[in-house]
Coordinates of all heavy atoms in Angstrom, one line a residue:
M1 N 88.8 88.1 65.7 CA 87.8 89.0 65.1 C 86.7 89.2 66.1 O 86.2 88.3 66.7 CB 87.2 88.3 63.8 CG 86.1 89.1 63.2 SD 85.1 88.2 62.0 CE 86.3 88.0 60.7
D2 N 86.3 90.5 66.3 CA 85.3 90.8 67.3 C 83.9 91.0 66.7 O 83.0 91.3 67.5 CB 85.7 92.0 68.1 CG 86.0 93.3 67.3 OD1 86.1 93.1 66.1 OD2 86.0 94.4 67.9
K3 N 83.8 91.0 65.4 CA 82.5 91.1 64.8 C 82.5 90.4 63.4 O 83.5 90.2 62.8 CB 82.0 92.5 64.7 CG 82.8 93.4 63.8 CD 82.3 94.8 63.9 CE 83.0 95.7 62.9 NZ 82.4 97.0 62.9
L4 N 81.3 90.1 63.0 CA 81.1 89.4 61.7 C 81.2 90.5 60.6 O 80.9 91.7 60.8 CB 79.8 88.7 61.6 CG 79.5 87.6 62.5 CD1 78.1 87.0 62.4 CD2 80.6 86.5 62.3
T5 N 81.4 90.1 59.4 CA 81.3 91.1 58.2 C 79.9 91.4 57.9 O 79.0 90.6 58.2 CB 82.0 90.5 57.0 OG1 81.3 89.4 56.5 CG2 83.5 90.1 57.3
K6 N 79.7 92.5 57.2 CA 78.4 92.9 56.7 C 77.8 91.8 55.9 O 76.6 91.5 56.0 CB 78.5 94.2 56.0 CG 77.2 94.7 55.4 CD 77.3 96.0 54.7 CE 76.0 96.4 54.1 NZ 76.1 97.7 53.3
E7 N 78.6 91.2 55.0 CA 78.1 90.1 54.1 C 77.6 88.9 54.9 O 76.6 88.3 54.5 CB 79.2 89.7 53.1 CG 79.5 90.8 52.1 CD 80.4 91.9 52.6 OE1 81.1 91.7 53.7 OE2 80.3 93.0 52.1
E8 N 78.3 88.5 56.0 CA 77.9 87.4 56.8 C 76.6 87.7 57.5 O 75.7 86.8 57.5 CB 79.0 87.1 57.8 CG 80.3 86.5 57.2 CD 81.4 86.4 58.2 OE1 81.5 87.3 59.1 OE2 82.1 85.4 58.2
V9 N 76.4 88.9 58.0 CA 75.1 89.2 58.6 C 74.0 89.2 57.6 O 72.9 88.7 57.8 CB 75.2 90.6 59.3 CG1 73.8 91.1 59.7 CG2 76.2 90.6 60.4
L10 N 74.2 89.7 56.4 CA 73.2 89.7 55.3 C 72.9 88.3 54.9 O 71.8 88.0 54.6 CB 73.7 90.6 54.1 CG 73.7 92.1 54.4 CD1 74.4 92.8 53.2 CD2 72.4 92.6 54.6
H11 N 73.9 87.4 54.9 CA 73.7 86.0 54.5 C 72.8 85.3 55.6 O 71.8 84.6 55.2 CB 75.0 85.3 54.4 CG 74.9 83.8 54.1 ND1 74.4 83.4 52.9 CD2 75.1 82.7 54.9 CE1 74.4 82.0 52.9 NE2 74.8 81.6 54.1
V12 N 73.0 85.6 56.9 CA 72.2 85.0 57.9 C 70.8 85.6 57.8 O 69.8 84.9 57.9 CB 72.8 85.3 59.3 CG1 71.8 84.9 60.4 CG2 74.1 84.6 59.5
A13 N 70.7 86.9 57.5 CA 69.3 87.5 57.4 C 68.6 86.9 56.2 O 67.4 86.6 56.3 CB 69.5 89.0 57.2
H14 N 69.3 86.6 55.1 CA 68.7 86.0 54.0 C 68.2 84.6 54.3 O 67.1 84.2 54.0 CB 69.7 85.9 52.8 CG 69.2 85.2 51.6 ND1 68.2 85.7 50.8 CD2 69.5 84.0 51.1 CE1 68.0 84.8 49.8 NE2 68.7 83.7 50.0
L15 N 69.0 83.8 55.0 CA 68.6 82.5 55.4 C 67.4 82.5 56.4 O 66.5 81.7 56.3 CB 69.8 81.8 56.2 CG 71.0 81.4 55.3 CD1 72.1 80.9 56.2 CD2 70.6 80.4 54.2
A16 N 67.3 83.5 57.2 CA 66.2 83.7 58.2 C 65.0 84.3 57.5 O 64.0 84.5 58.1 CB 66.6 84.4 59.4
K17 N 65.2 84.8 56.3 CA 64.2 85.5 55.5 C 63.7 86.7 56.3 O 62.5 86.9 56.4 CB 63.0 84.6 55.2 CG 63.5 83.4 54.3 CD 62.3 82.6 53.9 CE 62.9 81.5 52.9 NZ 61.9 80.6 52.5
I18 N 64.6 87.5 56.8 CA 64.2 88.8 57.4 C 65.0 89.9 56.8 O 66.0 89.8 56.2 CB 64.6 88.7 59.0 CG1 66.1 88.5 59.2 CG2 63.7 87.7 59.7 CD1 66.5 88.6 60.6
K19 N 64.3 91.1 56.8 CA 64.9 92.3 56.3 C 65.6 93.0 57.4 O 65.0 93.2 58.5 CB 63.8 93.2 55.7 CG 64.3 94.4 55.0 CD 63.1 95.2 54.4 CE 63.6 96.5 53.8 NZ 62.5 97.3 53.3
V20 N 66.8 93.5 57.2 CA 67.5 94.2 58.3 C 67.9 95.6 57.8 O 68.3 95.8 56.6 CB 68.8 93.4 58.7 CG1 68.4 92.2 59.5 CG2 69.7 93.1 57.6
T21 N 67.9 96.6 58.7 CA 68.3 97.9 58.3 C 69.8 98.0 58.5 O 70.5 97.1 59.1 CB 67.6 98.9 59.2 OG1 68.0 98.7 60.6 CG2 66.1 98.8 59.1
T22 N 70.4 99.1 58.1 CA 71.8 99.4 58.3 C 72.2 99.4 59.7 O 73.2 98.8 60.1 CB 72.2 100.7 57.6 OG1 71.8 100.7 56.3 CG2 73.7 100.9 57.7
E23 N 71.4 100.0 60.6 CA 71.7 100.0 62.0 C 71.6 98.6 62.6 O 72.4 98.2 63.5 CB 70.6 100.9 62.8 CG 70.7 102.4 62.4 CD 69.9 102.7 61.1 OE1 69.0 101.9 60.8 OE2 70.3 103.7 60.4
E24 N 70.7 97.8 62.2 CA 70.6 96.4 62.7 C 71.8 95.6 62.2 O 72.2 94.8 63.0 CB 69.3 95.8 62.2 CG 68.0 96.4 62.8 CD 66.7 95.8 62.2 OE1 66.7 95.6 61.0 OE2 65.8 95.6 63.0
I25 N 72.2 95.8 61.0 CA 73.4 95.1 60.5 C 74.6 95.4 61.4 O 75.3 94.4 61.9 CB 73.8 95.5 59.1 CG1 72.7 95.0 58.1 CG2 75.1 95.0 58.7 CD1 72.9 95.5 56.7
E26 N 74.8 96.6 61.8 CA 75.9 97.0 62.7 C 75.8 96.3 64.0 O 76.7 95.8 64.6 CB 76.0 98.5 62.8 CG 76.4 99.2 61.5 CD 76.3 100.7 61.6 OE1 76.0 101.2 62.7 OE2 76.6 101.3 60.6
K27 N 74.6 96.3 64.6 CA 74.3 95.6 65.9 C 74.5 94.1 65.8 O 75.1 93.5 66.6 CB 72.9 96.0 66.3 CG 72.5 95.4 67.6 CD 71.0 95.7 68.0 CE 70.6 95.1 69.3 NZ 70.5 93.7 69.3
Y28 N 74.0 93.5 64.7 CA 74.1 92.1 64.6 C 75.5 91.6 64.3 O 75.8 90.5 64.6 CB 73.1 91.6 63.5 CG 71.7 91.7 63.8 CD1 70.7 92.0 62.8 CD2 71.2 91.5 65.1 CE1 69.4 92.1 63.2 CE2 69.9 91.7 65.5 CZ 69.0 91.9 64.5 OH 67.7 92.0 64.8
Q29 N 76.3 92.5 63.7 CA 77.7 92.1 63.5 C 78.4 91.7 64.8 O 79.1 90.7 64.9 CB 78.5 93.2 62.8 CG 78.2 93.4 61.4 CD 79.0 94.5 60.8 OE1 78.9 95.7 61.2 NE2 79.8 94.3 59.7
V30 N 78.1 92.4 65.9 CA 78.7 92.1 67.2 C 77.9 91.0 67.9 O 78.5 90.1 68.4 CB 78.7 93.4 68.0 CG1 79.2 93.1 69.4 CG2 79.6 94.5 67.4
D31 N 76.5 91.2 67.9 CA 75.7 90.2 68.6 C 75.8 88.8 68.1 O 75.9 87.8 68.8 CB 74.2 90.6 68.6 CG 74.0 91.9 69.4 OD1 74.9 92.3 70.2 OD2 72.9 92.5 69.3
L32 N 75.8 88.6 66.8 CA 75.9 87.3 66.2 C 77.3 86.7 66.4 O 77.4 85.5 66.6 CB 75.6 87.3 64.7 CG 74.1 87.5 64.3 CD1 73.9 87.7 62.8 CD2 73.3 86.3 64.8
K33 N 78.3 87.5 66.4 CA 79.6 87.0 66.7 C 79.7 86.5 68.1 O 80.3 85.4 68.4 CB 80.7 88.1 66.5 CG 82.1 87.7 66.8 CD 82.6 86.6 65.9 CE 84.0 86.3 66.3 NZ 84.4 85.0 65.9
R34 N 79.1 87.2 69.1 CA 79.1 86.8 70.4 C 78.4 85.4 70.6 O 78.8 84.5 71.2 CB 78.4 87.8 71.4 CG 79.3 88.9 71.7 CD 78.6 89.7 72.8 NE 79.2 91.1 72.9 CZ 78.5 92.2 73.0 NH1 77.2 92.1 73.2 NH2 79.1 93.3 73.0
L35 N 77.3 85.3 69.9 CA 76.5 84.1 69.9 C 77.3 82.9 69.3 O 77.3 81.8 69.9 CB 75.2 84.3 69.1 CG 74.3 83.1 69.0 CD1 73.7 82.7 70.4 CD2 73.2 83.3 68.0
L36 N 77.9 83.1 68.2 CA 78.7 82.1 67.6 C 79.9 81.7 68.5 O 80.3 80.5 68.5 CB 79.2 82.5 66.2 CG 78.1 82.7 65.1 CD1 78.6 83.3 63.9 CD2 77.4 81.3 64.9
D37 N 80.5 82.7 69.1 CA 81.6 82.4 70.1 C 81.1 81.5 71.2 O 81.8 80.6 71.6 CB 82.2 83.6 70.6 CG 83.0 84.4 69.6 OD1 83.4 83.8 68.5 OD2 83.3 85.6 69.8
D38 N 79.9 81.8 71.7 CA 79.4 81.0 72.8 C 79.1 79.6 72.4 O 79.3 78.6 73.1 CB 78.1 81.7 73.4 CG 78.4 82.9 74.2 OD1 79.6 83.1 74.5 OD2 77.4 83.7 74.4
V39 N 78.5 79.4 71.2 CA 78.3 78.1 70.6 C 79.6 77.3 70.5 O 79.6 76.1 70.8 CB 77.5 78.2 69.3 CG1 77.4 76.9 68.6 CG2 76.1 78.8 69.5
E40 N 80.6 78.0 70.0 CA 81.9 77.3 69.9 C 82.4 76.9 71.2 O 83.0 75.8 71.3 CB 82.9 78.3 69.2 CG 84.1 77.6 68.7 CD 83.9 76.6 67.6 OE1 82.9 76.8 66.8 OE2 84.6 75.6 67.6
K41 N 82.2 77.7 72.3 CA 82.7 77.2 73.6 C 81.9 76.0 74.0 O 82.5 75.1 74.6 CB 82.4 78.4 74.6 CG 83.3 79.5 74.5 CD 82.9 80.6 75.6 CE 83.6 81.9 75.3 NZ 83.2 82.9 76.3
I42 N 80.6 75.9 73.8 CA 79.8 74.8 74.1 C 80.3 73.5 73.4 O 80.4 72.4 73.9 CB 78.3 75.0 73.9 CG1 77.8 76.1 74.8 CG2 77.5 73.8 74.0 CD1 76.4 76.6 74.5
K43 N 80.6 73.7 72.1 CA 81.1 72.6 71.3 C 82.4 72.0 71.8 O 82.7 70.8 71.6 CB 81.2 73.0 69.8 CG 79.9 73.2 69.1 CD 80.0 73.8 67.7 CE 81.1 73.3 66.9 NZ 81.1 73.9 65.5
N44 N 83.2 72.9 72.4 CA 84.5 72.4 72.9 C 84.5 71.9 74.3 O 85.6 71.6 74.9 CB 85.5 73.6 72.8 CG 85.8 74.0 71.4 OD1 85.8 73.1 70.5 ND2 86.1 75.2 71.1
I45 N 83.4 71.8 75.0 CA 83.3 71.2 76.3 C 83.6 69.7 76.3 O 83.1 69.0 75.5 CB 81.9 71.4 76.9 CG1 81.7 72.9 77.1 CG2 81.7 70.7 78.2 CD1 80.3 73.3 77.6
E46 N 84.5 69.3 77.2 CA 84.9 67.9 77.2 C 83.9 67.2 78.2 O 83.8 67.7 79.4 CB 86.3 67.7 77.7 CG 87.3 68.2 76.6 CD 88.7 67.9 77.0 OE1 89.0 67.0 77.7 OE2 89.6 68.7 76.6
L47 N 83.3 66.2 77.8 CA 82.4 65.5 78.6 C 83.1 64.3 79.3 O 83.9 63.6 78.7 CB 81.2 64.9 77.8 CG 80.4 66.0 77.1 CD1 79.4 65.3 76.2 CD2 79.7 66.9 78.1
E48 N 82.7 64.1 80.6 CA 83.3 62.9 81.3 C 82.8 61.6 80.8 O 83.4 60.6 80.8 CB 83.1 63.1 82.8 CG 83.9 64.3 83.3 CD 83.6 64.5 84.8 OE1 83.0 63.6 85.5 OE2 84.0 65.6 85.3
S49 N 81.5 61.6 80.5 CA 80.9 60.4 79.9 C 79.8 60.8 78.9 O 79.4 62.0 78.8 CB 80.2 59.6 81.1 OG 79.0 60.3 81.4
T50 N 79.5 59.9 78.1 CA 78.5 60.1 77.0 C 77.2 59.5 77.4 O 76.3 59.4 76.5 CB 79.0 59.6 75.7 OG1 79.3 58.2 75.8 CG2 80.3 60.3 75.2
E51 N 77.0 59.1 78.6 CA 75.8 58.4 79.0 C 74.7 59.5 79.1 O 74.8 60.6 79.6 CB 76.0 57.8 80.4 CG 74.8 57.0 80.9 CD 75.0 56.4 82.3 OE1 76.2 56.1 82.6 OE2 74.0 56.2 83.0
L52 N 73.6 59.1 78.5 CA 72.5 60.0 78.4 C 71.6 60.0 79.7 O 71.3 58.9 80.2 CB 71.6 59.7 77.2 CG 70.3 60.5 77.0 CD1 70.8 62.0 76.6 CD2 69.5 59.9 75.9
L53 N 71.4 61.2 80.3 CA 70.6 61.3 81.5 C 69.2 61.9 81.1 O 69.1 63.0 80.7 CB 71.2 62.2 82.5 CG 70.4 62.5 83.8 CD1 70.2 61.2 84.5 CD2 71.1 63.5 84.6
V54 N 68.2 61.0 81.1 CA 66.9 61.5 80.7 C 66.2 62.2 81.9 O 65.8 63.3 81.8 CB 66.0 60.3 80.2 CG1 64.6 60.8 79.9 CG2 66.7 59.7 79.0
T55 N 66.2 61.6 83.1 CA 65.6 62.2 84.3 C 66.3 61.5 85.5 O 66.5 60.3 85.5 CB 64.1 62.1 84.3 OG1 63.6 62.6 85.5 CG2 63.6 60.6 84.2
P56 N 66.5 62.3 86.5 CA 67.1 61.7 87.7 C 66.1 61.0 88.6 O 66.5 60.3 89.5 CB 67.7 62.9 88.4 CG 66.9 64.0 88.0 CD 66.5 63.7 86.6
I57 N 64.9 61.1 88.3 CA 63.8 60.5 89.1 C 63.0 59.5 88.3 O 62.7 59.8 87.2 CB 62.9 61.6 89.7 CG1 63.6 62.6 90.5 CG2 61.8 60.9 90.5 CD1 62.8 63.8 90.9
E58 N 62.8 58.3 88.8 CA 62.0 57.4 88.1 C 60.6 57.4 88.7 O 60.3 57.1 89.9 CB 62.6 56.0 88.3 CG 63.9 55.9 87.5 CD 64.4 54.5 87.5 OE1 63.7 53.5 87.6 OE2 65.7 54.3 87.4
H59 N 59.6 57.7 87.8 CA 58.2 57.7 88.2 C 57.5 56.9 87.2 O 57.8 56.8 86.0 CB 57.6 59.1 88.1 CG 58.0 60.0 89.2 ND1 57.2 60.2 90.3 CD2 59.0 60.9 89.4 CE1 57.8 61.1 91.1 NE2 58.8 61.5 90.6
E60 N 56.5 56.2 87.7 CA 55.6 55.5 86.7 C 54.3 56.4 86.7 O 53.8 56.9 87.7 CB 55.2 54.1 87.2 CG 56.4 53.2 87.1 CD 56.0 51.8 86.8 OE1 54.9 51.6 86.3 OE2 56.9 50.9 87.0
A61 N 53.8 56.5 85.5 CA 52.6 57.3 85.3 C 51.4 56.6 86.0 O 51.2 55.4 85.9 CB 52.2 57.5 83.9
I62 N 50.7 57.4 86.8 CA 49.5 56.9 87.5 C 48.3 57.2 86.6 O 48.0 58.4 86.4 CB 49.3 57.5 88.9 CG1 50.6 57.1 89.7 CG2 48.1 57.0 89.5 CD1 50.6 57.8 91.0
L63 N 47.7 56.2 86.0 CA 46.6 56.4 85.1 C 45.3 56.1 85.9 O 45.2 55.3 86.7 CB 46.7 55.5 83.9 CG 47.9 55.7 83.1 CD1 48.0 54.7 82.0 CD2 48.1 57.1 82.5
R64 N 44.2 56.9 85.6 CA 43.0 56.6 86.2 C 42.0 56.0 85.2 O 42.2 56.2 84.0 CB 42.4 57.9 86.9 CG 42.2 59.1 85.9 CD 41.9 60.3 86.7 NE 42.0 61.5 85.9 CZ 41.1 62.0 85.1 NH1 39.9 61.5 85.2 NH2 41.3 63.0 84.4
R65 N 41.0 55.4 85.7 CA 40.1 54.7 84.9 C 39.2 55.7 84.2 O 38.8 56.7 84.7 CB 39.2 53.9 85.8 CG 38.8 52.6 85.2 CD 37.9 51.8 86.2 NE 38.4 50.6 86.8 CZ 38.9 49.6 86.2 NH1 39.2 49.6 85.0 NH2 39.2 48.5 86.9
D66 N 38.9 55.5 82.9 CA 37.9 56.3 82.2 C 36.6 56.0 82.7 O 36.1 54.9 82.8 CB 38.0 56.0 80.7 CG 39.2 56.5 80.0 OD1 39.8 57.4 80.5 OD2 39.6 56.0 78.9
Q67 N 35.9 57.1 83.0 CA 34.5 57.0 83.5 C 33.6 58.0 82.8 O 34.0 59.2 82.7 CB 34.5 57.2 85.0 CG 35.2 56.2 85.8 CD 35.2 56.5 87.3 OE1 35.0 57.6 87.7 NE2 35.3 55.5 88.1
A68 N 32.5 57.6 82.4 CA 31.5 58.5 81.8 C 30.9 59.3 82.8 O 30.5 58.8 83.9 CB 30.5 57.7 81.0
T69 N 30.8 60.6 82.6 CA 30.2 61.5 83.6 C 29.2 62.4 82.9 O 29.2 62.5 81.6 CB 31.3 62.4 84.3 OG1 31.9 63.2 83.3 CG2 32.3 61.6 85.1
R70 N 28.4 63.1 83.6 CA 27.4 63.9 83.1 C 28.0 65.2 82.6 O 28.8 65.8 83.3 CB 26.3 64.2 84.2 CG 25.2 65.1 83.7 CD 24.2 65.4 84.8 NE 24.7 66.4 85.7 CZ 24.6 67.7 85.5 NH1 24.1 68.2 84.4 NH2 25.1 68.6 86.4
S71 N 27.7 65.7 81.4 CA 28.2 66.9 80.9 C 27.4 68.1 81.5 O 26.3 67.9 81.9 CB 28.1 67.0 79.3 OG 28.8 66.0 78.7
I72 N 28.1 69.2 81.5 CA 27.4 70.4 82.0 C 26.4 70.9 81.0 O 26.7 71.0 79.8 CB 28.4 71.5 82.3 CG1 29.4 71.0 83.4 CG2 27.7 72.8 82.8 CD1 30.5 72.0 83.7
D73 N 25.2 71.2 81.4 CA 24.1 71.6 80.5 C 24.5 73.1 80.1 O 24.9 73.9 80.9 CB 22.8 71.6 81.2 CG 21.7 71.8 80.2 OD1 21.6 71.2 79.2 OD2 20.8 72.7 80.6
F74 N 24.2 73.4 78.8 CA 24.6 74.8 78.3 C 23.8 75.8 79.1 O 24.3 77.0 79.2 CB 24.4 74.9 76.8 CG 24.9 76.1 76.2 CD1 26.3 76.3 76.2 CD2 24.1 77.1 75.8 CE1 26.9 77.5 75.6 CE2 24.7 78.3 75.2 CZ 26.0 78.5 75.2
S75 N 22.6 75.5 79.5 CA 21.8 76.5 80.3 C 22.6 76.9 81.6 O 22.5 78.1 82.0 CB 20.4 76.0 80.5 OG 20.5 74.9 81.3
E76 N 23.3 76.0 82.2 CA 24.1 76.3 83.4 C 25.3 77.1 83.0 O 25.7 78.0 83.8 CB 24.6 75.0 84.0 CG 23.4 74.1 84.6 CD 24.0 72.8 85.2 OE1 25.0 72.9 85.9 OE2 23.3 71.8 85.0
I77 N 25.9 76.9 81.9 CA 27.0 77.6 81.4 C 26.6 79.1 81.1 O 27.3 80.0 81.5 CB 27.7 77.0 80.2 CG1 28.3 75.6 80.5 CG2 28.8 77.9 79.6 CD1 28.8 74.8 79.4
K78 N 25.5 79.3 80.5 CA 25.0 80.6 80.1 C 24.9 81.5 81.3 O 25.0 82.7 81.2 CB 23.6 80.5 79.5 CG 23.6 80.1 78.0 CD 22.2 80.1 77.5 CE 22.1 79.8 76.0 NZ 20.8 79.9 75.5
K79 N 24.6 81.0 82.5 CA 24.5 81.8 83.7 C 25.8 82.5 84.1 O 25.8 83.5 84.8 CB 24.1 80.9 84.9 CG 22.7 80.3 84.7 CD 22.4 79.3 85.9 CE 21.1 78.6 85.7 NZ 20.9 77.6 86.8
N80 N 26.9 81.9 83.7 CA 28.2 82.5 84.1 C 29.0 83.2 83.0 O 30.1 83.6 83.2 CB 29.1 81.3 84.6 CG 28.5 80.7 85.8 OD1 28.1 81.4 86.7 ND2 28.5 79.4 85.9
V81 N 28.4 83.4 81.8 CA 29.1 84.2 80.8 C 28.3 85.5 80.5 O 27.1 85.5 80.6 CB 29.2 83.3 79.5 CG1 30.1 82.1 79.7 CG2 27.9 82.9 78.9
P82 N 29.1 86.5 80.1 CA 28.4 87.8 79.9 C 27.5 87.8 78.6 O 26.5 88.5 78.6 CB 29.6 88.8 79.7 CG 30.8 88.0 79.5 CD 30.5 86.6 80.0
A83 N 27.9 87.1 77.5 CA 27.1 87.2 76.3 C 27.1 85.8 75.6 O 28.1 85.1 75.5 CB 27.6 88.3 75.4
T84 N 25.9 85.5 75.0 CA 25.8 84.3 74.2 C 25.1 84.7 72.9 O 24.4 85.7 72.8 CB 25.0 83.2 74.9 OG1 23.7 83.7 75.2 CG2 25.7 82.7 76.2
N85 N 25.3 83.8 71.9 CA 24.6 83.9 70.6 C 24.1 82.6 70.2 O 24.9 81.8 69.7 CB 25.5 84.6 69.6 CG 24.8 84.9 68.3 OD1 23.6 84.6 68.1 ND2 25.5 85.5 67.3
G86 N 22.9 82.2 70.4 CA 22.4 80.9 70.2 C 23.1 79.9 71.1 O 23.0 80.1 72.4
N87 N 23.7 78.9 70.6 CA 24.4 77.9 71.4 C 25.9 78.2 71.5 O 26.7 77.3 71.7 CB 24.2 76.5 70.9 CG 22.8 76.0 71.1 OD1 22.2 76.4 72.1 ND2 22.3 75.1 70.3
F88 N 26.3 79.5 71.3 CA 27.7 79.9 71.4 C 27.9 80.9 72.4 O 27.1 81.7 72.7 CB 28.1 80.4 70.0 CG 28.0 79.4 68.9 CD1 26.9 79.5 68.0 CD2 29.0 78.5 68.7 CE1 26.8 78.5 67.0 CE2 28.9 77.6 67.7 CZ 27.8 77.6 66.8
V89 N 29.1 80.9 73.0 CA 29.5 81.9 74.0 C 30.3 83.0 73.2 O 31.2 82.7 72.4 CB 30.5 81.3 75.0 CG1 31.0 82.4 76.0 CG2 29.7 80.2 75.8
E90 N 29.8 84.2 73.3 CA 30.5 85.3 72.7 C 31.7 85.8 73.5 O 31.6 85.9 74.7 CB 29.6 86.5 72.5 CG 28.5 86.2 71.4 CD 27.6 87.4 71.2 OE1 27.9 88.5 71.7 OE2 26.6 87.3 70.4
V91 N 32.8 86.0 72.8 CA 34.0 86.5 73.5 C 34.5 87.7 72.8 O 34.3 87.9 71.6 CB 35.2 85.4 73.5 CG1 34.8 84.2 74.3 CG2 35.5 85.0 72.1
P92 N 35.2 88.6 73.5 CA 35.7 89.8 72.8 C 36.8 89.5 71.8 O 37.6 88.5 72.0 CB 36.2 90.7 74.0 CG 36.5 89.7 75.1 CD 35.6 88.6 74.9
V93 N 36.9 90.4 70.8 CA 38.0 90.2 69.8 C 39.3 90.6 70.4 O 39.4 91.7 71.0 CB 37.7 91.1 68.5 CG1 38.8 91.0 67.5 CG2 36.4 90.7 67.9
I94 N 40.3 89.8 70.2 CA 41.6 90.0 70.8 C 42.6 90.4 69.7 O 43.4 91.3 69.9 CB 42.1 88.8 71.6 CG1 41.1 88.6 72.8 CG2 43.5 89.0 72.1 CD1 41.4 87.3 73.6
V95 N 42.5 89.8 68.6 CA 43.5 90.0 67.5 C 42.8 90.9 66.5 O 41.7 90.6 66.0 CB 43.9 88.6 66.9 CG1 44.8 88.9 65.7 CG2 44.5 87.7 67.9
N96 N 43.5 91.9 66.1 CA 42.9 92.8 65.0 C 43.2 92.2 63.7 O 44.2 91.5 63.5 CB 43.5 94.2 65.1 CG 43.2 94.9 66.3 OD1 42.1 94.7 66.9 ND2 44.0 95.8 66.8
E97 N 42.3 92.4 62.8 CA 42.5 91.8 61.4 C 43.4 92.7 60.6 O 43.5 93.8 60.7 CB 41.1 91.6 60.7 CG 40.3 90.5 61.4 CD 39.0 90.3 60.8 OE1 38.8 90.6 59.6 OE2 38.1 89.8 61.4

């Protein structure tokens, strides 16, 4: 079989809680089938060993000592920002409501 049935695509869309158009259903019939075929190939790979490889390099984390330092004064910060409002830095709106 080179593509999934319409019902299978609609079932996957329902599970993913997405709405699909007729054109998308036709596209996903082929695309999802390819994806499932690739997953099946991966499942059928024979492994030489089942030993888990976490990382090929052994490093120990180098931790530094906690040291209290002087915080930057807000008056110094204000010099480098375009706009402030009281003790806050104003930033432009990026996400529309």
Side-chain angles (χ1 to χ4, degrees):
M1 175 193 294
D2 59 342
K3 64 182 187 177
L4 299 177
T5 65
K6 179 180 177 181
E7 290 75 23
E8 289 171 321
V9 172
L10 290 173
H11 178 68
V12 171
H14 174 73
L15 292 173
K17 297 183 180 182
I18 58 173
K19 182 179 178 183
V20 290
T21 64
T22 306
E23 296 82 25
E24 289 174 325
I25 291 173
E26 293 171 4
K27 179 181 180 297
Y28 291 146
Q29 283 179 303
V30 175
D31 291 349
L32 286 173
K33 177 62 177 158
R34 281 192 201 138
L35 177 68
L36 292 172
D37 288 344
D38 289 343
V39 169
E40 195 61 35
K41 287 178 190 175
I42 292 170
K43 285 171 45 178
N44 291 330
I45 293 175
E46 291 185 28
L47 300 174
E48 293 177 12
S49 75
T50 56
E51 185 178 333
L52 181 64
L53 176 64
V54 177
T55 179
I57 302 170
E58 292 187 24
H59 283 270
E60 290 215 18
I62 301 172
L63 304 176
R64 55 189 166 94
R65 217 181 248 313
D66 286 338
Q67 295 177 337
T69 59
R70 183 182 76 82
S71 296
I72 299 173
D73 189 53
F74 191 68
S75 61
E76 293 178 43
I77 295 173
K78 281 184 176 180
K79 295 176 188 176
N80 296 314
V81 295
T84 59
N85 185 357
N87 288 332
F88 298 98
V89 174
E90 290 184 7
V91 294
V93 176
I94 296 174
V95 179
N96 294 331
E97 293 182 24

